[in-house]
Amino acid sequence: MANLEFRQIQLNLNAPVGPLNDVRRMRIMDAVGEGFAPQPVPIAGAIALVNPVSREAIFMNENQIQYTCDGMPAQFSPSRVETLLGAIRDTLLLEDRFPMILQVIAHQDANGSAFEKTVEAFTPIPPPTLRSYFPGLRGLGLRITFEESPYICDLRIEPLFSDPAYFFIQFNAGSQQTAQSIASTVDDTANWLNRLQGDIGDVIQEILGA
């Protein structure tokens, strides 16, 4: 079975940004450089900048800095992300210490019906028996939570309901109240991505019977 294909990688920093007036918004746009354009946001006091070429986005409000990249696959460049977030940090004169939350969305080819495969793989109950309990059963989801200090992690595997030829996989890792530098946060993000393609990915394959 094919490796996970990252579709979206999102890094959230809990940050005391403060009010984003027009002057600060212009300084942030100058800091991130050309390619990012402001987009309407239905949240008062927030700012969203989108780079349609690189498929990156930056969202900010008074308490948060969020970086997102997506694609097929999503391309996460540690050096670029560290540069972008560092430029915002320096522009806003923030201390280089942030709790973080990472969210990764991935798809994987099921080589068949993900609905059927999850019914077979995720419970010891025989599929006919399970279907007798739930006559309209389509598929099952699995959620695994674990701690790897300073992170609390959450791994979810289920059929991709919009296209059951694929599995939908979501991984979250939050540092809770542990604050780290942007450099450390980006390094940890790259490490989690590598592990999703490595040892954690191997566990996912075993769970799915690949």
Side-chain angles (χ1 to χ4, degrees), residues 24-69:
R24 300 185 89 202
R25 288 168 183 257
M26 291 302 299
R27 288 176 178 170
I28 291 166
M29 291 180 62
D30 288 342
V32 299
E34 295 182 0
F36 285 91
Q39 299 294 316
V41 184
I43 302 173
I47 179 174
L49 304 173
V50 175
N51 187 326
V53 175
S54 62
R55 301 191 66 167
E56 297 171 293
I58 294 170
F59 172 84
M60 299 176 59
N61 59 29
E62 293 188 2
N63 304 299
Q64 178 187 31
I65 303 171
Q66 180 187 90
Y67 168 86
T68 305
C69 63

Side-chain angles (χ1 to χ4, degrees), residues 152-195:
I152 300 294
C153 303
D154 180 32
L155 175 64
R156 307 180 191 190
I157 309 168
E158 61 188 47
L160 179 62
F161 283 85
S162 62
D163 186 352
Y166 291 88
F167 295 109
F168 173 89
I169 296 159
Q170 179 175 328
F171 175 77
N172 302 323
S175 68
Q176 308 308 300
Q177 299 305 313
T178 301
Q180 303 179 108
S181 69
I182 286 176
S184 294
T185 294
V186 171
D187 284 346
D188 283 359
T189 298
N191 181 58
W192 283 120
L193 295 175
N194 287 335
R195 291 188 61 190

Side-chain angles (χ1 to χ4, degrees), residues 4 44 52 60 63 65 71 79 82 121 124 126 133 146-147 182 209:
L4 307 186
M60 299 176 59
N63 304 299
I65 303 171
S79 60
E82 184 177 346
Y133 297 153
F146 62 96
E147 183 173 357
I182 286 176

Side-chain angles (χ1 to χ4, degrees), residues 48-110:
L49 304 173
V50 175
N51 187 326
V53 175
S54 62
R55 301 191 66 167
E56 297 171 293
I58 294 170
F59 172 84
M60 299 176 59
N61 59 29
E62 293 188 2
N63 304 299
Q64 178 187 31
I65 303 171
Q66 180 187 90
Y67 168 86
T68 305
C69 63
D70 60 31
M72 299 176 65
Q75 301 289 339
F76 183 86
S77 169
S79 60
R80 175 170 172 78
V81 175
E82 184 177 346
T83 297
L84 284 171
L85 296 178
I88 295 171
R89 173 203 61 208
D90 294 344
T91 297
L92 298 177
L93 303 177
L94 300 175
E95 183 181 0
D96 192 22
R97 303 289 294 173
F98 307 95
M100 66 85 90
I101 300 174
L102 170 67
Q103 177 179 276
V104 180
I105 302 296
H107 293 173
Q108 179 167 306
D109 191 337

